[in-house]
Amino acid sequence: MRYDAIVIGGSYAGLSAAMQLARARRRVLVIDAGVPRNRFAKAAHGFFGQENKPPRAILQEAARQVGAYPTVAFVQDEAVSAEPDAGGFAVTLAGGRRETAARLVLATGLRDELPPIPGMQERWGATVLHCPYCHGYEVGDRQLGVLANHVMSAHQAALIPDWGPTTYFTQGIFEPDAEQAERLAARGVKIERSPVVALLGKAPALDAVRLSDGRIVAVGALFTATKTHMASPLAEQLGCAFDDGPLGAYLRTDAWKQTTVTGVYAGGDAASPMHNATLASASGVMAGVGAHQSLALEIKPAA
Ligand SMILES: Cc1cc2nc3c(=O)[nH]c(=O)nc-3n(C[C@H](O)[C@H](O)[C@H](O)COP(=O)(O)OP(=O)(O)OC[C@H]3O[C@@H](n4cnc5c(N)ncnc54)[C@H](O)[C@@H]3O)c2cc1C
């Protein structure tokens, strides 16, 4: 069967897009490999109505609600290629299936590359964190650190004292400029220039960091920026254009979340410079509505 739309990625953005298409009574296939970006966190925060729930539970309930619409089908697999096909698109899955649709929605998310310091990965989402709005409250009043990994790290360090006493670890690279230094001082942020070389404590707990000069500094949670990468090469295969974001490239889209390839829509972290579950869900809604309206108004993708 040729679907009206294939949604690749069945998380916050993909399920939000699929919901709009399903409610417009369109035939939708959701393909999901089941590895959302926040799977490392025990609970999600700041997402309206879902406070403190495990990410898996949020997504399972959303998938159940989307799947209740009779025109929706799900497949748990990885989409390994996508290409134009007969005025629409064909998607091939790792398991060998080939599916076709008039429209594609890419909601494939991002992959995080952490700074290469021993002990970071096993604490990711627990005591090594990217976003104070997502997890700062839970580590409030601990000794907090910001490990510089980005030109915006000094800016992040100036925010963190709202959650606890803060040390900014420059890693010997991201020295604050005069204005940043003044702001950090005004906010009571300590600055350490000797690089952090190891994280200490029984993971996922964090007790302290070891510096390259041998000193040990007590830290109960560490914020850091990751480098982000597309979780899937499909957008590149399709020839979609990208823009540079603060942490990595993201898909260029118009106001209706259509990419630069006609008929290919995109939502969520993969198509935004700002990342959280609410923003991903909102842009997924827009991608679903955009895809539906292009179908309803019969704006055909380029051959
Ligand atoms: C550790 C951590 C904790 C976080 N905590 C919070 C929080 O508390 N609150 C908050 O608002 N935000 C939080 N975030 C941010 C949040 O996780 C993301 O903004 C959100 O997951 C983005 O949703 P998405 O649908 O765009 O992508 P994702 O949730 O990453 O989902 C992408 C989906 O697409 C699938 N996929 C990818 N490629 C393919 C393919 N080729 N074929 C099939 N399926 C594919 C993946 O398996 C995945 O299921 C956190 C992020 C991290 C890293």
Side-chain angles (χ1 to χ4, degrees):
M1 176 180 49
R2 184 176 156 104
Y3 291 92
D4 291 316
I6 293 178
V7 177
I8 307 179
S11 182
Y12 302 94
L15 291 173
S16 299
M19 179 63 107
Q20 304 307 313
L21 286 154
R23 290 184 55 73
R25 310 195 301 178
R26 294 289 176 164
R27 288 163 307 179
V28 189
L29 176 66
V30 180
I31 301 169
D32 186 41
V35 283
R37 188 176 173 200
N38 63 347
R39 65 192 178 281
F40 303 96
K42 265 205 239 161
H45 301 284
F47 189 29
F48 183 69
Q50 305 293 330
E51 185 54 26
N52 210 19
K53 285 196 192 152
R56 292 253 176 239
I58 295 172
L59 295 178
Q60 271 167 12
E61 177 59 8
R64 189 193 65 73
Q65 291 176 3
V66 172
Y69 288 85
T71 55
V72 179
F74 280 92
V75 54
Q76 176 150 22
D77 202 345
E78 186 188 358
V80 289
S81 71
E83 60 194 348
D85 176 81
F89 301 93
V91 177
T92 304
L93 308 188
R97 252 167 93 168
R98 189 173 184 272
E99 301 287 354
T100 60
R103 300 288 183 273
L104 275 189
V105 178
L106 300 176
T108 43
L110 296 173
R111 178 173 62 76
D112 289 288
E113 180 189 342
L114 286 161
I117 297 173
M120 295 214 92
Q121 186 62 56
E122 51 271 45
R123 293 177 173 86
W124 180 229
T127 54
V128 173
L129 302 162
H130 72 308
C131 166
Y133 300 101
C134 297
H135 300 286
Y137 194 88
E138 284 61 45
V139 298
D141 291 332
R142 296 185 197 175
Q143 292 292 330
L144 301 176
V146 173
L147 185 116
N149 192 37
H150 189 270
V151 286
M152 294 294 285
S153 291
H155 167 78
Q156 186 177 46
L159 297 174
I160 299 300
D162 276 9
W163 288 273
T166 305
T167 303
Y168 175 53
F169 297 95
T170 70
Q171 296 301 87
I173 303 171
F174 296 96
E175 184 63 26
D177 63 26
E179 192 185 328
Q180 289 168 336
E182 196 180 335
R183 189 172 298 131
L184 291 172
R187 298 279 286 155
V189 176
K190 287 187 214 149
I191 298 181
E192 271 293 352
R193 294 182 171 83
S194 180
V196 172
V197 292
L199 275 54
L200 308 176
K202 191 170 161 29
L206 175 65
D207 297 336
V209 296
R210 183 184 300 122
L211 307 183
S212 67
D213 63 11
R215 280 180 300 134
I216 288 176
V217 179
V219 173
L222 197 57
F223 291 89
T224 194
T226 60
K227 289 194 174 72
T228 60
H229 305 277
M230 287 287 129
S232 157
L234 294 178
E236 210 174 333
Q237 281 177 17
L238 286 159
C240 300
F242 294 84
D243 284 318
D244 285 333
L247 305 176
Y250 65 97
L251 278 162
R252 185 177 304 160
T253 51
D254 65 14
W256 293 99
K257 298 306 283 179
Q258 185 170 229
T259 68
T260 52
V261 175
T262 305
V264 178
Y265 290 75
D269 285 5
S272 169
M274 294 282 293
H275 308 146
N276 76 23
T278 309
L279 300 174
S281 177
S283 69
V285 167
M286 192 54 102
V289 169
H292 168 251
Q293 294 202 4
S294 78
L295 286 163
L297 302 174
E298 293 187 348
I299 302 164
K300 291 207 174 4

